[in-house]
Amino acid sequence: MGEKAITKSRKNVSPFKNWSKVAPQIICATSASWAVLCTGLVRGWSSSAIAQLRERKNGTLYLEKEEAAWITSLPPLCAIFGSLLIAFPMELYGRRMTLATISLLYVLGFYLMGLSYYLNSVSVLFVGRLITGLISGASVPTSQIYVSECSSPRVRGALGSFTSTFMSFGIVIAYVIGAVVEWQIMCFVIGSLPIVLGVAMLLMPETPSWLISHNRGPQAKDALQYLRGKYTNIESEFQRISNNANSQLPKPSYAKILTNGHLMKPLIISMALMLFQQLSGINAIVFYSASVFQDAGCSLNNFLSSIIIAVVAMVFTMISVLLVDRFGRRKLLMISGVCMAVSLTGLGVFVYLKTASEDLSVVDETNLAEPSVLSELGWLPLLFLISFIIAYSMGFCTVPQLIMGELFPLEYRNRLGTISASFSLGCTFIVVRTFPEMAAIMGLGGVYGLYAACCLIAVVFVAFFLPETKGKTLEEISQFFVRPTITSSDGIRNETANDPQLLLKPSTNNNTHSV
């Protein structure tokens, strides 16, 4: 009875209760997540800039339709390669210095885009866009791994969700700035924001895991002490991290990773979550949100509708930060998936009925009642779209990236994280590019129905295959996928791999780890 009461009380305690111990971790997570905010700036730039670049004006750049399409889609393509290439500097120079260097390349890319206006050069615009695309792909895995390795188990879920929140925040900033200034001025304004990332990361510590793996024990201990608080006893945690780092194998090639069963299992789980995240249709729906508002008969203009969607996503992503460590990853994902499926089904049914009634009115001009009824319900698509964004922001927006930073063993975290991130970016590009063709073949209602079915499949996958990582240390999570012949340092046989339910229970050692 007493143990149950203690467990229940822990669930009701805010992860940020011990502020003096948590504050350094929040500062580090905020600093690293600024890199993902810059990724949001890259994504949000095209919303207003492309519209301006498509207008013929004297003395400014003008993009043809095909050029505008490539400028828009270039970052997701380049990001695939950026996420793969960043594994090597992350391992050689550390997470901290990699993030600091990323900031300089963001500034370079955005400033080149702004200079293209004064040089009247589309080529310079493409080069700048290419650079920002590459670096946006490098930002997500680097920042997510940095945050995960700096966070203690109790707050890792909340802090790991910072990256998704900052992504939404960056998109909002780009939308708002683009509404009040010319596109070339916007490039210089948002291009100056990555400077904050560079300065902040120079003031932050390197992750203890990386320092220990590079035989820099004293610095690792100082970094861990800073992260957990000045008066926190870190000896047991430091010893655990050291033991885990000392058990590392020689760095394998990608080919060996892909043929290793206990590495492929967490990789497949992470990639599956990334796939379902994109098969929800989030990027396609947000990208074409203006047309959905138009179908709803909404009086808002396209630009304002985009801002509404971005603000809703940002607010509810921030709320998810408070929920992920309270309810766990699995529960949030399953609730998110079911709610997304319901919203998409409602949206699909409405669009299907509206299209069918319009086709019927063309055949029978006397049949005017149904279209008028549907026009009075024009607020329904807006309601369904906003409810979809809320459901997505509360689960599938944040948790897949968080899981990516948790499942992989330390010695393989760089490479496995970049593989998963690049796969996600590839899925993003494919979903966005195929949306118009699918809509032409299946109709918008059919496409939304397909996305809804994918959300339900995602719920089934999470229920059967995703282990709960709430409250577990990164070392405990890593052991779940290791063969059961491993023995711990004190000679006790590790049975975690044989009993998945052990991972589904909160760690009983949380009281020995600093918050």
Side-chain angles (χ1 to χ4, degrees):
M1 175 70 75
E3 184 177 348
K4 291 183 178 179
I6 293 173
T7 302
K8 184 176 180 181
S9 65
R10 281 177 183 169
K11 291 183 179 179
N12 295 327
V13 174
S14 168
F16 300 123
K17 180 181 179 181
N18 298 323
W19 179 253
S20 62
K21 296 181 179 181
V22 176
Q25 299 176 57
I26 294 177
I27 294 172
C28 287
T30 301
S31 300
S33 297
W34 201 268
V36 188
L37 180 144
C38 297
T39 301
L41 297 176
V42 175
R43 295 189 178 186
W45 174 87
S46 59
S47 178
S48 60
I50 294 299
Q52 297 179 43
L53 286 164
R54 288 286 292 145
E55 296 178 1
R56 289 191 179 274
K57 295 180 180 179
N58 293 329
T60 187
L61 288 180
Y62 172 77
L63 295 181
E64 298 291 344
K65 185 177 181 179
E66 188 68 18
E67 291 176 326
W70 275 108
I71 282 289
T72 303
S73 60
L74 194 60
L77 279 176
C78 296
I80 298 173
F81 301 100
S83 63
L84 286 173
L85 295 174
I86 202 62
F88 300 100
M90 258 204 297
E91 175 60 27
L92 291 175
Y93 305 110
R95 288 76 157 121
R96 168 177 166 268
M97 288 308 301
T98 300
L99 286 169
T101 305
I102 279 174
S103 68
L104 299 176
L105 296 175
Y106 267 125
V107 174
L108 173 63
F110 277 120
Y111 278 20
L112 283 176
M113 291 162 61
L115 287 173
S116 68
Y117 170 83
Y118 301 100
L119 299 175
N120 197 26
S121 172
V122 174
S123 299
V124 174
L125 179 62
F126 267 92
V127 171
R129 192 71 167 155
L130 184 148
I131 293 173
T132 56
L134 280 170
I135 301 307
S136 65
S139 298
V140 175
T142 309
S143 59
Q144 196 70 61
I145 290 173
Y146 180 88
V147 173
S148 294
E149 292 184 354
C150 286
S151 305
S152 57
R154 185 173 177 178
V155 297
R156 191 177 61 244
L159 298 184
S161 301
F162 274 29
T163 54
S164 298
T165 303
F166 274 69
M167 172 80 79
S168 300
F169 189 30
I171 293 174
V172 172
I173 291 175
Y175 283 173
V176 172
I177 293 177
V180 296
V181 300
E182 295 289 333
W183 71 268
Q184 71 276 10
I185 303 300
M186 178 174 65
C187 291
F188 291 111
V189 175
I190 65 178
S192 300
L193 295 179
I195 297 175
V196 176
L197 170 65
V199 174
M201 291 313 301
L202 291 177
L203 300 175
M204 295 300 107
E206 182 55 79
T207 69
S209 298
W210 184 87
L211 290 170
I212 290 176
S213 67
H214 285 73
N215 301 316
R216 294 162 67 175
Q219 291 176 272
K221 199 166 190 176
D222 291 341
L224 187 61
Q225 189 70 71
Y226 168 80
L227 291 167
R228 301 300 183 258
K230 184 177 180 181
Y231 301 106
T232 302
N233 186 349
I234 62 168
E235 292 301 325
S236 61
E237 183 177 6
F238 181 77
Q239 187 61 44
R240 188 188 70 246
I241 298 174
S242 299
N243 291 340
N244 184 65
N246 292 333
S247 66
Q248 292 181 32
L249 300 174
K251 297 297 183 295
S253 64
Y254 279 109
K256 291 184 178 180
I257 288 177
L258 298 176
T259 56
N260 190 314
H262 83 275
L263 294 179
M264 284 301 297
K265 290 176 183 177
L267 178 61
I268 290 173
I269 290 175
S270 178
M271 292 174 68
L273 290 178
M274 296 295 186
L275 175 64
F276 287 124
Q277 182 187 57
Q278 296 307 320
L279 289 182
S280 70
I282 178 62
N283 283 299
I285 290 175
V286 170
F287 187 82
Y288 295 100
S289 61
S291 63
V292 176
F293 276 84
Q294 186 177 359
D295 291 339
C298 184
S299 58
L300 295 176
N301 61 49
N302 297 343
F303 185 75
L304 184 56
S305 68
S306 299
I307 293 180
I308 290 175
I309 293 298
V311 170
V312 169
M314 181 184 70
V315 170
F316 283 91
T317 303
M318 293 173 65
I319 294 175
S320 73
V321 170
L322 305 176
L323 302 178
V324 69
D325 274 324
R326 182 177 292 271
F327 297 103
R329 285 66 158 152
R330 285 163 47 86
K331 187 177 294 185
L332 275 186
L333 283 176
M334 288 189 284
I335 294 174
S336 174
V338 170
C339 292
M340 285 194 299
V342 171
S343 300
L344 288 171
T345 300
L347 182 62
V349 169
F350 182 91
V351 172
Y352 175 80
L353 292 176
K354 185 174 186 295
T355 303
S357 64
E358 290 175 350
D359 293 341
L360 184 60
S361 65
V362 172
V363 176
D364 184 5
E365 295 182 357
T366 62
N367 188 9
L368 300 176
E370 289 79 6
S372 62
V373 171
L374 289 175
S375 64
E376 293 177 1
L377 298 176
W379 50 270
L380 270 178
L382 174 60
L383 176 64
F384 287 132
L385 182 60
I386 290 179
S387 64
F388 169 79
I389 294 296
I390 291 173
Y392 173 79
S393 300
M394 299 290 282
F396 269 91
C397 176
T398 58
V399 177
Q401 278 73 22
L402 172 62
I403 291 294
M404 180 183 70
E406 291 182 327
L407 289 186
F408 305 141
L410 171 62
E411 61 268 34
Y412 310 106
R413 197 167 292 151
N414 299 327
R415 299 190 180 186
L416 294 179
T418 54
I419 292 174
S420 181
S422 61
F423 176 78
S424 174
L425 292 165
C427 293
T428 301
F429 176 75
I430 292 172
V431 169
V432 172
R433 292 289 293 183
T434 58
F435 181 79
E437 288 78 9
M438 291 175 61
I441 297 172
M442 305 170 57
L444 281 176
V447 175
Y448 295 145
L450 178 62
Y451 290 156
C454 291
C455 291
L456 292 178
I457 296 173
V459 172
V460 175
F461 176 85
V462 170
F464 284 96
F465 298 105
L466 179 66
E468 180 58 75
T469 59
K470 171 190 172 184
K472 307 296 291 185
T473 68
L474 295 179
E475 292 73 29
E476 289 171 329
I477 296 170
S478 297
Q479 289 300 311
F480 174 69
F481 300 103
V482 176
R483 294 181 179 88
T485 55
I486 288 183
T487 303
S488 62
S489 58
D490 56 1
I492 298 175
R493 184 179 177 83
N494 188 335
E495 297 295 338
T496 304
N498 284 335
D499 188 1
Q501 293 302 316
L502 291 178
L503 192 60
L504 303 182
K505 297 179 181 179
S507 174
T508 58
N509 297 326
N510 282 355
N511 58 333
T512 64
H513 305 313
S514 50
V515 176

